[in-house]
Amino acid sequence: AKLTLVDYNREWLEAAADCVRNLGGEVLAIHADIAEPGVGNKAVADTIGKFGRIDIGVNIAATNQRKLIVDMSDQDWNRVLGVNLYGTFSFCRAYAREMIKQRYGVIVNCSSVRAFSGLAESAHYTSAKAGVNGLTYSLAIELAPFGIRVNAVAPAGTATNMGLLLGRTP
């Protein structure tokens, strides 16, 4: 496999990149915050520069900060929506630009079961993941004529730091 990995946590990024290399894959590791404007465009451009094309784009980055809405600051709201929704949008847009030229591609977005059921102390997270679903539905229709499939997966809690956080019940 030829993979591009983007993460804000340099330690996690390098560990994942080493894993890909150890399995015989090629990897481009980009240390960046996907909530920042321009990161999607740059990451996709760097991927095209290194590998020549992009066939599959997977958006799995997520963050949450468990807080009651009355305790949630604008910064809390913006950070969670920035990573979960804006980051997904930014990368989808960048993938689509290249995939339309190729007339082929697959985009997979990571939503959450919480987008459908809500979660106490996570209004920003569940709102963002519901937004990911809406984005995915729209892009599936919009990009299908170009041979691009767009889908989302909506996992429940998983064995990650993020999953353990989401697995807590109110």
Side-chain angles (χ1 to χ4, degrees):
K2 296 177 182 178
L3 300 174
T4 298
L5 305 175
V6 182
D7 202 312
Y8 74 98
N9 184 307
R10 192 177 301 274
E11 183 180 334
W12 294 351
L13 176 65
E14 288 306 320
D18 287 344
C19 183
V20 172
R21 287 183 199 103
N22 290 339
L23 292 170
E26 291 183 56
V27 65
L28 171 61
I30 300 172
H31 179 250
D33 181 348
I34 68 162
E36 294 296 319
V39 171
N41 289 335
K42 182 172 182 345
V44 169
D46 290 353
T47 300
I48 300 300
K50 181 167 178 79
F51 300 125
R53 61 184 287 132
I54 185 163
D55 294 316
I56 302 169
V58 180
N59 297 304
I60 61 171
T63 191
N64 192 11
Q65 304 160 335
R66 298 292 298 262
K67 288 187 178 181
L68 292 171
I69 193 150
V70 296
D71 297 325
M72 196 178 294
S73 69
D74 289 350
Q75 286 177 306
D76 296 333
W77 178 269
N78 290 335
R79 179 65 186 157
V80 172
L81 265 77
V83 170
N84 293 294
L85 184 54
Y86 174 78
T88 300
F89 155 76
S90 173
F91 274 78
C92 283
R93 179 178 58 189
Y95 299 146
R97 288 176 176 152
E98 291 302 320
M99 291 175 177
I100 286 172
K101 292 178 202 172
Q102 298 170 178
R103 309 276 310 165
Y104 173 81
V106 176
I107 299 172
V108 180
N109 294 324
C110 189
S111 177
S112 170
V113 296
R114 297 305 187 175
F116 304 101
S117 64
L119 179 66
E121 300 176 342
S122 294
H124 46 4
Y125 179 80
T126 58
S127 297
K129 292 304 185 174
V132 167
N133 291 341
L135 175 66
T136 302
Y137 295 140
S138 293
L139 294 183
I141 296 164
E142 185 175 323
L143 298 176
F146 301 100
I148 303 165
R149 293 188 321 259
V150 185
N151 289 287
V153 294
T158 56
T160 67
N161 289 340
M162 183 68 194
L164 294 173
L165 176 67
L166 291 177
R168 193 178 100 198
T169 55

